[in-house]
mmCIF file with all atom_site columns, all heavy atoms in Angstrom:
data_model
loop_
_atom_site.group_PDB
_atom_site.id
_atom_site.type_symbol
_atom_site.label_atom_id
_atom_site.label_alt_id
_atom_site.label_comp_id
_atom_site.label_asym_id
_atom_site.label_entity_id
_atom_site.label_seq_id
_atom_site.pdbx_PDB_ins_code
_atom_site.Cartn_x
_atom_site.Cartn_y
_atom_site.Cartn_z
_atom_site.occupancy
_atom_site.B_iso_or_equiv
_atom_site.pdbx_formal_charge
_atom_site.auth_seq_id
_atom_site.auth_comp_id
_atom_site.auth_asym_id
_atom_site.auth_atom_id
_atom_site.pdbx_PDB_model_num
ATOM 1  N N   . ASN R 1 153 ? -20.534 27.907 21.142 1.00 95.00 ? 261 ASN R N   1
ATOM 2  C CA  . ASN R 1 153 ? -21.328 26.684 21.272 1.00 95.00 ? 261 ASN R CA  1
ATOM 3  C C   . ASN R 1 153 ? -22.110 26.406 19.989 1.00 95.00 ? 261 ASN R C   1
ATOM 4  O O   . ASN R 1 153 ? -22.146 25.275 19.495 1.00 95.00 ? 261 ASN R O   1
ATOM 5  C CB  . ASN R 1 153 ? -22.323 26.816 22.431 1.00 95.00 ? 261 ASN R CB  1
ATOM 6  C CG  . ASN R 1 153 ? -21.645 26.983 23.777 1.00 95.00 ? 261 ASN R CG  1
ATOM 7  O OD1 . ASN R 1 153 ? -20.438 26.861 23.895 1.00 95.00 ? 261 ASN R OD1 1
ATOM 8  N ND2 . ASN R 1 153 ? -22.440 27.275 24.787 1.00 95.00 ? 261 ASN R ND2 1
ATOM 9  N N   . ALA R 1 154 ? -22.769 27.448 19.473 1.00 97.00 ? 262 ALA R N   1
ATOM 10 C CA  . ALA R 1 154 ? -23.599 27.272 18.284 1.00 97.00 ? 262 ALA R CA  1
ATOM 11 C C   . ALA R 1 154 ? -22.766 26.861 17.079 1.00 97.00 ? 262 ALA R C   1
ATOM 12 O O   . ALA R 1 154 ? -23.172 26.002 16.281 1.00 97.00 ? 262 ALA R O   1
ATOM 13 C CB  . ALA R 1 154 ? -24.357 28.562 17.989 1.00 97.00 ? 262 ALA R CB  1
ATOM 14 N N   . SER R 1 155 ? -21.581 27.459 16.935 1.00 97.00 ? 263 SER R N   1
ATOM 15 C CA  . SER R 1 155 ? -20.727 27.110 15.799 1.00 97.00 ? 263 SER R CA  1
ATOM 16 C C   . SER R 1 155 ? -20.280 25.658 15.873 1.00 97.00 ? 263 SER R C   1
ATOM 17 O O   . SER R 1 155 ? -20.244 24.946 14.861 1.00 97.00 ? 263 SER R O   1
ATOM 18 C CB  . SER R 1 155 ? -19.514 28.050 15.724 1.00 97.00 ? 263 SER R CB  1
ATOM 19 O OG  . SER R 1 155 ? -18.576 27.798 16.757 1.00 97.00 ? 263 SER R OG  1
ATOM 20 N N   . LYS R 1 156 ? -19.942 25.197 17.072 1.00 97.00 ? 264 LYS R N   1
ATOM 21 C CA  . LYS R 1 156 ? -19.462 23.825 17.226 1.00 97.00 ? 264 LYS R CA  1
ATOM 22 C C   . LYS R 1 156 ? -20.602 22.808 17.174 1.00 97.00 ? 264 LYS R C   1
ATOM 23 O O   . LYS R 1 156 ? -20.422 21.687 16.678 1.00 97.00 ? 264 LYS R O   1
ATOM 24 C CB  . LYS R 1 156 ? -18.673 23.698 18.522 1.00 97.00 ? 264 LYS R CB  1
ATOM 25 C CG  . LYS R 1 156 ? -17.367 24.500 18.533 1.00 97.00 ? 264 LYS R CG  1
ATOM 26 C CD  . LYS R 1 156 ? -16.429 24.075 17.405 1.00 97.00 ? 264 LYS R CD  1
ATOM 27 C CE  . LYS R 1 156 ? -15.056 24.738 17.526 1.00 97.00 ? 264 LYS R CE  1
ATOM 28 N NZ  . LYS R 1 156 ? -14.120 24.279 16.471 1.00 97.00 ? 264 LYS R NZ  1
ATOM 29 N N   . ALA R 1 157 ? -21.779 23.179 17.695 1.00 97.00 ? 265 ALA R N   1
ATOM 30 C CA  . ALA R 1 157 ? -22.939 22.289 17.582 1.00 97.00 ? 265 ALA R CA  1
ATOM 31 C C   . ALA R 1 157 ? -23.282 22.067 16.114 1.00 97.00 ? 265 ALA R C   1
ATOM 32 O O   . ALA R 1 157 ? -23.669 20.958 15.705 1.00 97.00 ? 265 ALA R O   1
ATOM 33 C CB  . ALA R 1 157 ? -24.124 22.878 18.331 1.00 97.00 ? 265 ALA R CB  1
ATOM 34 N N   . ALA R 1 158 ? -23.144 23.118 15.309 1.00 98.00 ? 266 ALA R N   1
ATOM 35 C CA  . ALA R 1 158 ? -23.409 22.986 13.882 1.00 98.00 ? 266 ALA R CA  1
ATOM 36 C C   . ALA R 1 158 ? -22.404 22.054 13.214 1.00 98.00 ? 266 ALA R C   1
ATOM 37 O O   . ALA R 1 158 ? -22.758 21.306 12.292 1.00 98.00 ? 266 ALA R O   1
ATOM 38 C CB  . ALA R 1 158 ? -23.389 24.361 13.215 1.00 98.00 ? 266 ALA R CB  1
ATOM 39 N N   . VAL R 1 159 ? -21.147 22.072 13.663 1.00 98.00 ? 267 VAL R N   1
ATOM 40 C CA  . VAL R 1 159 ? -20.142 21.154 13.119 1.00 98.00 ? 267 VAL R CA  1
ATOM 41 C C   . VAL R 1 159 ? -20.497 19.711 13.468 1.00 98.00 ? 267 VAL R C   1
ATOM 42 O O   . VAL R 1 159 ? -20.345 18.802 12.640 1.00 98.00 ? 267 VAL R O   1
ATOM 43 C CB  . VAL R 1 159 ? -18.733 21.514 13.627 1.00 98.00 ? 267 VAL R CB  1
ATOM 44 C CG1 . VAL R 1 159 ? -17.713 20.439 13.245 1.00 98.00 ? 267 VAL R CG1 1
ATOM 45 C CG2 . VAL R 1 159 ? -18.293 22.861 13.072 1.00 98.00 ? 267 VAL R CG2 1
ATOM 46 N N   . VAL R 1 160 ? -20.981 19.488 14.689 1.00 97.00 ? 268 VAL R N   1
ATOM 47 C CA  . VAL R 1 160 ? -21.427 18.141 15.071 1.00 97.00 ? 268 VAL R CA  1
ATOM 48 C C   . VAL R 1 160 ? -22.574 17.692 14.173 1.00 97.00 ? 268 VAL R C   1
ATOM 49 O O   . VAL R 1 160 ? -22.561 16.576 13.634 1.00 97.00 ? 268 VAL R O   1
ATOM 50 C CB  . VAL R 1 160 ? -21.849 18.098 16.555 1.00 97.00 ? 268 VAL R CB  1
ATOM 51 C CG1 . VAL R 1 160 ? -22.455 16.730 16.897 1.00 97.00 ? 268 VAL R CG1 1
ATOM 52 C CG2 . VAL R 1 160 ? -20.654 18.378 17.468 1.00 97.00 ? 268 VAL R CG2 1
#
Side-chain angles (χ1 to χ4, degrees):
N261 297 352
S263 72
K264 294 301 188 177
V267 171
V268 174

